[in-house]
Amino acid sequence: MTNKTLLTIAFILSGLSVATAQSTSPRLLIRGDDMGYSHAGNEAILKCYKDGIEKSIEVLVPSPWFPEAVKLLEQIPTADIGIHLTLTSEWDNIKWRPLSDCPSLRDADGYFYPMLRPNKNYPKRSVVENDWKLADVEKEFRAQIELAMKKIPRISHISGHMGCTGLTDEVTALVKKLAQEYHIPHFDKSIRDAGIMSASYLGAHATSDEKLQSFMKMLESLEAGKTYIFVDHPGLDTPEVQAIHHIGYENVATDRQGVTDIWTNPRVKELIKTKGIQLIGYNDLPK
Protein backbone atom coordinates (compact mmCIF):
# COMPACT_ATOMS: atom_id res chain seq x y z
CA MET A 1 0.00 0.00 0.00
CA THR A 2 1.48 3.33 -1.06
CA ASN A 3 1.96 6.34 1.22
CA LYS A 4 -0.54 8.24 -0.89
CA THR A 5 -3.17 5.56 -0.26
CA LEU A 6 -2.46 5.55 3.46
CA LEU A 7 -2.84 9.34 3.60
CA THR A 8 -6.15 9.11 1.74
CA ILE A 9 -7.49 6.48 4.18
CA ALA A 10 -6.33 8.55 7.16
CA PHE A 11 -8.06 11.63 5.75
CA ILE A 12 -11.33 9.74 5.25
CA LEU A 13 -11.21 8.26 8.75
CA SER A 14 -10.49 11.68 10.19
CA GLY A 15 -13.55 13.10 8.42
CA LEU A 16 -15.73 10.28 9.66
CA SER A 17 -14.48 10.85 13.21
CA VAL A 18 -15.36 14.57 13.04
CA ALA A 19 -18.80 13.84 11.59
CA THR A 20 -19.50 11.27 14.32
CA ALA A 21 -18.41 13.69 17.04
CA GLN A 22 -20.67 16.39 15.64
CA SER A 23 -23.66 14.06 15.45
CA THR A 24 -23.26 12.90 19.06
CA SER A 25 -22.27 16.21 20.66
CA PRO A 26 -24.53 17.58 23.39
CA ARG A 27 -27.02 20.15 22.11
CA LEU A 28 -27.90 23.11 24.33
CA LEU A 29 -30.61 25.73 23.97
CA ILE A 30 -29.89 28.85 26.04
CA ARG A 31 -33.13 30.80 26.52
CA GLY A 32 -33.33 34.38 27.81
CA ASP A 33 -36.74 35.16 29.28
CA ASP A 34 -38.80 38.29 29.92
CA MET A 35 -37.66 40.77 27.26
CA GLY A 36 -39.74 43.88 27.83
CA TYR A 37 -39.77 43.92 31.64
CA SER A 38 -37.26 46.81 31.72
CA HIS A 39 -34.97 48.87 29.51
CA ALA A 40 -31.88 47.35 31.13
CA GLY A 41 -33.36 43.89 30.69
CA ASN A 42 -33.76 44.56 26.98
CA GLU A 43 -30.14 45.72 26.75
CA ALA A 44 -28.90 42.66 28.63
CA ILE A 45 -30.85 40.20 26.49
CA LEU A 46 -29.54 41.84 23.32
CA LYS A 47 -25.97 41.70 24.67
CA CYS A 48 -26.29 38.02 25.61
CA TYR A 49 -27.25 37.23 22.01
CA LYS A 50 -24.71 39.46 20.31
CA ASP A 51 -21.75 38.77 22.59
CA GLY A 52 -22.73 35.59 24.35
CA ILE A 53 -24.30 32.15 24.12
CA GLU A 54 -28.04 32.99 24.24
CA LYS A 55 -29.95 31.54 21.30
CA SER A 56 -33.63 32.12 22.09
CA ILE A 57 -35.37 35.26 23.37
CA GLU A 58 -38.82 35.26 25.00
CA VAL A 59 -40.80 38.52 24.73
CA LEU A 60 -43.48 39.72 27.15
CA VAL A 61 -45.91 41.39 24.76
CA PRO A 62 -47.98 43.43 27.30
CA SER A 63 -44.86 44.68 29.09
CA PRO A 64 -43.99 48.42 29.19
CA TRP A 65 -40.73 48.05 27.23
CA PHE A 66 -42.17 45.85 24.46
CA PRO A 67 -42.02 48.65 21.82
CA GLU A 68 -38.31 49.08 22.47
CA ALA A 69 -37.83 45.31 22.37
CA VAL A 70 -39.36 45.24 18.88
CA LYS A 71 -36.85 47.84 17.66
CA LEU A 72 -33.86 46.18 19.31
CA LEU A 73 -34.71 42.80 17.82
CA GLU A 74 -34.28 44.33 14.37
CA GLN A 75 -30.55 44.38 15.14
CA ILE A 76 -30.47 40.58 15.39
CA PRO A 77 -32.61 39.32 12.50
CA THR A 78 -31.45 35.72 12.88
CA ALA A 79 -32.40 35.43 16.57
CA ASP A 80 -34.98 32.86 17.61
CA ILE A 81 -37.92 34.80 19.14
CA GLY A 82 -40.75 33.39 21.24
CA ILE A 83 -44.02 34.86 22.51
CA HIS A 84 -43.80 34.62 26.31
CA LEU A 85 -47.54 34.51 27.03
CA THR A 86 -48.39 36.02 30.39
CA LEU A 87 -51.31 36.35 32.78
CA THR A 88 -49.32 38.01 35.58
CA SER A 89 -47.49 41.22 36.45
CA GLU A 90 -45.36 40.20 39.42
CA TRP A 91 -43.23 43.21 40.33
CA ASP A 92 -44.22 45.69 43.06
CA ASN A 93 -42.98 48.96 41.50
CA ILE A 94 -43.83 48.36 37.85
CA LYS A 95 -46.97 46.84 36.39
CA TRP A 96 -48.54 45.93 33.08
CA ARG A 97 -52.15 45.41 32.07
CA PRO A 98 -53.90 42.95 29.76
CA LEU A 99 -54.13 43.91 26.11
CA SER A 100 -57.75 42.80 25.88
CA ASP A 101 -61.02 43.39 27.69
CA CYS A 102 -60.75 40.50 30.14
CA PRO A 103 -62.20 41.57 33.51
CA SER A 104 -61.64 38.25 35.26
CA LEU A 105 -57.87 38.56 34.77
CA ARG A 106 -57.56 42.11 36.16
CA ASP A 107 -57.05 43.17 39.76
CA ALA A 108 -58.84 46.11 41.38
CA ASP A 109 -56.46 48.56 39.68
CA GLY A 110 -56.80 47.01 36.24
CA TYR A 111 -53.43 45.25 36.20
CA PHE A 112 -52.74 41.54 35.89
CA TYR A 113 -52.59 39.81 39.28
CA PRO A 114 -49.02 39.53 40.58
CA MET A 115 -49.09 35.76 41.03
CA LEU A 116 -50.44 32.82 39.09
CA ARG A 117 -50.96 30.52 42.08
CA PRO A 118 -51.46 31.21 45.81
CA ASN A 119 -48.54 32.99 47.47
CA LYS A 120 -48.43 33.75 51.18
CA ASN A 121 -46.82 37.12 50.48
CA TYR A 122 -49.68 38.16 48.18
CA PRO A 123 -52.85 36.71 49.73
CA LYS A 124 -55.83 36.48 47.39
CA ARG A 125 -53.77 38.15 44.65
CA SER A 126 -53.22 35.21 42.35
CA VAL A 127 -55.13 34.24 39.21
CA VAL A 128 -56.36 30.94 40.64
CA GLU A 129 -57.74 32.61 43.79
CA ASN A 130 -60.02 34.79 41.72
CA ASP A 131 -62.89 33.98 39.41
CA TRP A 132 -60.91 33.76 36.19
CA LYS A 133 -62.65 32.75 32.98
CA LEU A 134 -61.24 30.54 30.23
CA ALA A 135 -62.87 32.79 27.63
CA ASP A 136 -60.90 35.76 29.00
CA VAL A 137 -57.66 33.75 28.88
CA GLU A 138 -58.33 32.91 25.23
CA LYS A 139 -59.15 36.52 24.41
CA GLU A 140 -55.95 37.76 26.07
CA PHE A 141 -53.69 35.09 24.59
CA ARG A 142 -55.05 35.85 21.13
CA ALA A 143 -54.35 39.56 21.63
CA GLN A 144 -50.77 38.87 22.71
CA ILE A 145 -50.13 36.44 19.85
CA GLU A 146 -51.57 38.75 17.22
CA LEU A 147 -49.65 41.83 18.40
CA ALA A 148 -46.44 39.82 18.54
CA MET A 149 -46.95 38.46 15.02
CA LYS A 150 -47.74 41.96 13.77
CA LYS A 151 -44.62 43.53 15.28
CA ILE A 152 -42.24 40.54 15.05
CA PRO A 153 -43.31 38.45 12.04
CA ARG A 154 -40.51 35.89 12.54
CA ILE A 155 -41.94 34.55 15.83
CA SER A 156 -40.89 30.89 16.03
CA HIS A 157 -42.64 29.54 19.12
CA ILE A 158 -44.84 30.11 22.17
CA SER A 159 -43.80 29.78 25.81
CA GLY A 160 -45.45 30.65 29.12
CA HIS A 161 -44.41 33.22 31.73
CA MET A 162 -44.46 31.79 35.27
CA GLY A 163 -45.99 28.60 33.87
CA CYS A 164 -49.25 30.24 32.81
CA THR A 165 -49.71 28.07 29.71
CA GLY A 166 -50.05 25.08 32.04
CA LEU A 167 -52.42 26.74 34.51
CA THR A 168 -54.98 23.94 34.06
CA ASP A 169 -55.59 21.15 31.56
CA GLU A 170 -58.15 23.40 29.88
CA VAL A 171 -55.60 26.20 29.46
CA THR A 172 -53.04 23.73 28.12
CA ALA A 173 -55.57 22.50 25.56
CA LEU A 174 -56.39 26.11 24.65
CA VAL A 175 -52.73 26.96 24.03
CA LYS A 176 -52.34 23.85 21.89
CA LYS A 177 -55.36 24.94 19.84
CA LEU A 178 -54.01 28.48 19.42
CA ALA A 179 -50.56 27.20 18.48
CA GLN A 180 -52.09 25.09 15.73
CA GLU A 181 -54.37 27.87 14.55
CA TYR A 182 -51.58 30.46 14.34
CA HIS A 183 -49.01 27.90 13.10
CA ILE A 184 -46.59 28.65 15.95
CA PRO A 185 -45.19 25.66 17.87
CA HIS A 186 -45.73 25.52 21.63
CA PHE A 187 -43.02 23.58 23.46
CA ASP A 188 -43.62 24.18 27.18
CA LYS A 189 -45.79 21.12 27.70
CA SER A 190 -44.22 18.85 25.11
CA ILE A 191 -40.54 19.65 25.51
CA ARG A 192 -39.86 16.55 27.61
CA ASP A 193 -41.92 14.44 25.22
CA ALA A 194 -39.55 15.59 22.47
CA GLY A 195 -36.61 14.17 24.42
CA ILE A 196 -35.31 17.55 25.58
CA MET A 197 -33.88 17.66 29.09
CA SER A 198 -33.97 20.63 31.44
CA ALA A 199 -30.51 21.81 32.53
CA SER A 200 -29.89 23.85 35.67
CA TYR A 201 -27.06 25.17 37.81
CA LEU A 202 -25.12 22.39 39.52
CA GLY A 203 -24.45 23.95 42.89
CA ALA A 204 -25.02 27.25 44.64
CA HIS A 205 -25.85 30.20 42.37
CA ALA A 206 -26.64 33.15 44.62
CA THR A 207 -23.58 35.21 43.63
CA SER A 208 -22.00 35.81 40.24
CA ASP A 209 -19.00 33.65 41.13
CA GLU A 210 -21.23 30.83 42.36
CA LYS A 211 -23.28 31.10 39.19
CA LEU A 212 -20.16 30.82 37.03
CA GLN A 213 -18.83 27.76 38.86
CA SER A 214 -22.21 26.00 38.89
CA PHE A 215 -22.88 26.83 35.24
CA MET A 216 -19.48 25.46 34.23
CA LYS A 217 -20.22 22.26 36.17
CA MET A 218 -23.52 21.99 34.32
CA LEU A 219 -21.73 22.29 30.97
CA GLU A 220 -19.25 19.61 32.01
CA SER A 221 -22.13 17.27 32.89
CA LEU A 222 -23.89 17.39 29.51
CA GLU A 223 -23.96 14.01 27.85
CA ALA A 224 -23.21 13.28 24.21
CA GLY A 225 -26.21 12.74 21.97
CA LYS A 226 -28.65 14.51 24.30
CA THR A 227 -30.48 17.83 23.92
CA TYR A 228 -30.85 20.27 26.82
CA ILE A 229 -32.55 23.59 27.54
CA PHE A 230 -31.31 26.15 30.08
CA VAL A 231 -33.61 29.06 30.98
CA ASP A 232 -32.71 32.22 32.88
CA HIS A 233 -33.28 35.97 32.93
CA PRO A 234 -30.49 38.35 31.86
CA GLY A 235 -30.38 41.84 33.34
CA LEU A 236 -28.09 44.65 34.42
CA ASP A 237 -27.34 45.94 37.90
CA THR A 238 -28.65 49.45 37.29
CA PRO A 239 -30.83 51.79 39.41
CA GLU A 240 -33.77 50.87 37.18
CA VAL A 241 -33.52 47.13 37.87
CA GLN A 242 -32.60 47.73 41.53
CA ALA A 243 -36.10 49.21 41.87
CA ILE A 244 -37.72 46.08 40.39
CA HIS A 245 -38.56 43.34 42.88
CA HIS A 246 -41.30 41.51 44.71
CA ILE A 247 -41.50 39.96 48.16
CA GLY A 248 -39.27 36.91 48.19
CA TYR A 249 -37.12 38.09 45.28
CA GLU A 250 -35.46 41.33 46.24
CA ASN A 251 -32.00 40.96 44.67
CA VAL A 252 -33.22 41.07 41.07
CA ALA A 253 -30.52 43.44 39.79
CA THR A 254 -27.51 41.53 41.11
CA ASP A 255 -29.05 38.16 40.29
CA ARG A 256 -29.79 39.04 36.67
CA GLN A 257 -26.48 40.83 36.16
CA GLY A 258 -24.89 37.52 37.14
CA VAL A 259 -26.75 35.78 34.32
CA THR A 260 -25.51 38.32 31.79
CA ASP A 261 -21.95 37.95 33.09
CA ILE A 262 -22.02 34.17 32.71
CA TRP A 263 -23.60 34.07 29.27
CA THR A 264 -20.96 36.47 27.90
CA ASN A 265 -18.01 35.00 29.84
CA PRO A 266 -15.00 33.96 27.68
CA ARG A 267 -14.35 30.93 29.92
CA VAL A 268 -17.89 29.69 29.35
CA LYS A 269 -17.60 30.15 25.60
CA GLU A 270 -14.25 28.37 25.54
CA LEU A 271 -15.61 25.40 27.52
CA ILE A 272 -18.54 25.10 25.12
CA LYS A 273 -16.09 25.06 22.22
CA THR A 274 -13.76 22.56 23.91
CA LYS A 275 -16.58 20.14 24.73
CA GLY A 276 -18.08 20.51 21.25
CA ILE A 277 -21.46 21.56 22.64
CA GLN A 278 -23.82 22.66 19.86
CA LEU A 279 -25.77 25.79 20.73
CA ILE A 280 -29.23 25.58 19.16
CA GLY A 281 -32.53 27.47 18.99
CA TYR A 282 -36.15 26.37 18.96
CA ASN A 283 -35.98 26.31 15.17
CA ASP A 284 -33.60 23.36 15.50
CA LEU A 285 -36.05 21.31 17.56
CA PRO A 286 -38.51 18.80 16.07
CA LYS A 287 -41.91 20.40 15.60
Side-chain angles (χ1 to χ4, degrees):
M1 190 175 292
T2 66
N3 288 337
K4 183 177 180 181
T5 303
L6 288 172
L7 285 172
T8 301
I9 293 172
F11 179 78
I12 293 172
L13 290 175
S14 174
L16 289 173
S17 176
V18 171
T20 301
Q22 290 177 341
S23 65
T24 60
S25 297
R27 304 168 81 223
L28 178 61
L29 194 162
I30 300 290
R31 188 178 104 181
D33 278 16
D34 293 7
M35 192 172 196
Y37 80 95
S38 67
H39 167 65
N42 286 353
E43 289 185 312
I45 285 174
L46 190 71
K47 178 179 178 63
C48 285
Y49 183 85
K50 285 184 170 182
D51 303 331
I53 61 173
E54 177 187 77
K55 291 301 177 186
S56 181
I57 296 170
E58 311 304 295
V59 182
L60 289 166
V61 182
S63 63
W65 287 90
F66 173 73
E68 182 194 57
V70 171
K71 293 180 181 178
L72 291 178
L73 290 173
E74 294 174 358
Q75 298 179 27
I76 47 175
T78 59
D80 189 10
I81 311 300
I83 304 169
H84 207 40
L85 292 174
T86 185
L87 297 175
T88 52
S89 177
E90 64 270 33
W91 309 118
D92 288 342
N93 291 338
I94 184 171
K95 292 292 182 186
W96 46 84
R97 303 171 186 270
L99 298 179
S100 66
D101 178 19
C102 51
S104 72
L105 302 179
R106 297 174 182 265
D107 68 10
D109 298 320
Y111 300 114
F112 281 121
Y113 291 102
M115 298 294 155
L116 190 69
R117 302 184 188 280
N119 184 303
K120 64 180 182 180
N121 297 315
Y122 295 90
K124 305 298 182 183
R125 296 187 64 202
S126 69
V127 174
V128 301
E129 291 175 290
N130 289 276
D131 190 23
W132 66 277
K133 307 294 185 186
L134 186 64
D136 281 351
V137 173
E138 177 169 358
K139 188 186 301 182
E140 179 59 21
F141 280 176
R142 284 186 181 278
Q144 293 181 26
I145 291 170
E146 290 174 7
L147 182 58
M149 294 178 69
K150 176 183 177 181
K151 297 296 185 179
I152 314 170
R154 58 195 166 102
I155 289 292
S156 66
H157 64 279
I158 292 171
S159 62
H161 183 55
M162 298 176 73
C164 72
T165 54
L167 178 61
T168 64
D169 290 343
E170 290 77 14
V171 172
T172 298
L174 167 65
V175 175
K176 181 178 180 180
K177 180 187 78 169
L178 295 176
Q180 293 173 342
E181 178 180 335
Y182 289 100
H183 306 291
I184 307 174
H186 171 236
F187 291 94
D188 275 7
K189 194 71 175 176
S190 61
I191 204 157
R192 288 184 181 177
D193 297 337
I196 300 157
M197 305 176 67
S198 177
S200 57
Y201 295 103
L202 290 183
H205 49 276
T207 68
S208 289
D209 185 62
E210 288 175 346
K211 274 186 171 63
L212 177 59
Q213 300 307 317
S214 297
F215 192 83
M216 299 274 278
K217 287 181 183 178
M218 179 276 293
L219 293 176
E220 291 279 10
S221 75
L222 301 184
E223 299 179 23
K226 294 185 178 180
T227 301
Y228 301 84
I229 180 171
F230 187 96
V231 177
D232 216 327
H233 307 76
L236 300 176
D237 190 356
T238 65
E240 178 197 22
V241 185
Q242 289 164 17
I244 295 175
H245 48 73
H246 63 69
I247 301 171
Y249 185 21
E250 289 81 11
N251 64 327
V252 177
T254 55
D255 181 56
R256 298 193 173 193
Q257 177 71 63
V259 177
T260 303
D261 292 344
I262 293 167
W263 288 5
T264 58
N265 189 294
R267 289 176 58 193
V268 168
K269 289 188 275 189
E270 182 59 31
L271 180 57
I272 288 172
K273 181 179 178 182
T274 301
K275 283 189 60 67
I277 297 169
Q278 299 179 49
L279 295 176
I280 63 170
Y282 276 90
N283 283 322
D284 300 306
L285 298 177
K287 301 297 187 288

